[in-house]
Amino acid sequence: MPTPNEAGGVGPGDAHFAVLPDCEDALVAARSFLRPEARTLAHPSGRPWLVGRWSDREIVTAQAGRAAIAVVGCAPVDADELKGFAHRLRDLTELDALARRLPGSFHLVAALDGRLRVQGTASGLRLVFHAAVEGVQVAATSADVLAAAIGEEPDEERLAVRLLWPVPYPLSETSLWRGVTAVPPEEALIIASDGRTTRRSRWWTPPEPMLSLAEGAPLAREALSQAVDARTDAGGVVSCDLSGGLDSTSVCFLAARSPARVVASTWPGRDPADSDLHWAQKAARFLPDVEHVVWDADASPLVYDDLLTIDDLIDEPTIGVMDRSRVLHHLPGLAQRGSRLHLTGIGGDHLAWCSEAYYHGLLRTRPLFALRQLRGFRTLFSWPLGATARALADSASYGQWLARCGRQLTGALPPAVSGTLGWGMPPRLFAWVTPEAAHSVGRTLLEAAATAVPLHPDRGMHTDLEQIRNCTRIVRQWDRMAARAGVPMASPFFDDRVIEAFLAVNGGERVTPWAYKPLLAAAMRQIVPDECLARANKAQASMDAAEGLREHRGDLMALWEDSHLARLGLVDGDALMALARRPSTPDLREAILYSTIACEVWLRSLSRKEPRIPGN
């Protein structure tokens, strides 16, 4: 296997690339991706195989006989082990075992007898897309790379769907360009040896939640420990968020056991009622060898900061732009302290505290247990009795629920418990969306409902999987932004092995009104002091969001003065301008602007740059 060239001086955390089949016709398609800045990994024939951007620290390759394998990202596997696997490879489906065994987060690419297999992660943190370029199927890790190669502009109807709050599955995972197809995270893309046909092969299925908390806690501890070790075993300096919450505190304590020197980073909240700093300092007292950096709360950017100048290379709208400045602001300071990688606790909320929708099914299989727990939830969350009963009695299929949503896009939201115990929060469009756009979105939802299948038959597991995938699509973009800022980020909770370990524990013990994140607390005992595991809440940063609306009102008005969405006929710019003048409007507390801002900022970022290729 040829060694990747050394061009580009690329740092870790920003790997993105296209994958080309090993056929004569692919040489024409390759011209859309080959540039002096791009790195190239070749097929044994010498034709381009991977073309793009990666550092030597995040790629492992091996070739043996008719097979070649590349692992791109974070995975504790060396070339000799990979070569042994390649030597034994007789069918591409055998790669399922490798993909399901390795810790970390990575793309897996393989070639065997001219056929290709390309896959990302089950979490959705690493995605795969494909398109016919010059008649040849090409895969890539970013959709916009392929769109540029085939000369496509964003599809207006698909963009209109992204104005929904929230965007329901499966529409949330559709590429925004016609001609560019998204591969579901649980599937691998197979490209035939002639390069012209594709099929998909399912390689991942969520575990059935059968384990008790006592059985699952050691497995969760082992999986999360391996995920952190995969990032820290190389030593050097790494930084960790230390908000004082259970998630970041767990990651920080695990990192502190490694050969790496750890810098813990705490952003106190502006709200006087925010207890993050108290809990972070309590944890730091148990970590004498960890440098604890506490930043100035008033120096932290607010929500909605710097929306007018965002020019990151993102391939879809993301509500992550609202917090982009907050996520990146401390990275230069951590780089000055030598950090080569920043570990976050993002994902812990999605795994350690799961969806209460599990009780919709538990009521039917364990009614006495479920009723006792539901009484506790009603008290904890102030659920109205009638709305709770109606939500539990509802037996609509996912497709029926989606169709119902498609007919009620502008109606009043039902009580929150309806979404909590159902298939999810019903999506809504708001008054500034034009009637034409609303009609298009409703039609798309009804069309999707006709064939929609949930991610899992159980509402709780479906909701957990959907929320994981929604969040990783945001983190995926933050990771690109952080690498560009100089310190790549990693979120160990979103490694596939960690997700599997947590989801294997039954929902009735993972989410309970009587304990906060009980599975994570049980998993981290004897690693994190009990005093730190006693926290039973988390900060909400609502003050930062409210202040951000007021302070950045001018930026929001500037967004709508020359709105790209308005030019496309998707929104009423005057209505949005009027709303921006009233930042204290009660409805704005519910983040209803987020999806619209995400689409507007994305369109503006596209207009600022030329179509890119993977090496740029």
Side-chain angles (χ1 to χ4, degrees), residues 59-79:
I59 186 168
V60 182
T61 63
Q63 179 188 343
R66 302 168 296 138
I69 303 176
V71 175
V72 188
C74 170
V77 62
D78 59 32

Side-chain angles (χ1 to χ4, degrees), residues 565-589:
L565 289 170
R567 279 191 239 157
L568 293 174
L570 300 180
V571 303
D572 180 343
D574 292 338
L576 285 163
M577 280 283 289
L579 193 60
R581 294 190 186 100
R582 304 191 306 274
S584 297
T585 300
D587 285 349
L588 293 182
R589 298 175 194 154

Side-chain angles (χ1 to χ4, degrees), residues 370-394:
L371 285 171
R372 184 171 64 251
Q373 301 291 90
L374 286 163
R375 280 197 295 268
F377 282 124
R378 282 194 59 231
T379 301
L380 184 63
F381 298 127
S382 301
W383 289 345
L385 178 59
T388 302
R390 286 191 296 273
L392 291 168
D394 178 65

Side-chain angles (χ1 to χ4, degrees), residues 35-70:
R35 296 290 188 276
E37 303 87 356
R39 305 189 74 177
T40 302
L41 190 65
H43 286 285
S45 66
R47 300 186 186 105
W49 181 26
L50 273 64
V51 181
R53 179 185 180 105
W54 58 82
S55 79
D56 291 336
R57 281 188 280 171
E58 56 187 343
I59 186 168
V60 182
T61 63
Q63 179 188 343
R66 302 168 296 138
I69 303 176

Side-chain angles (χ1 to χ4, degrees), residues 147 155 167 208 229 255 305 368 412 540 556 580 593 609:
D155 180 84
V167 185
E208 290 302 315
D229 290 347
D305 181 69
L368 294 179
Q540 300 300 321
L556 291 176
L593 269 174
K609 60 181 179 284

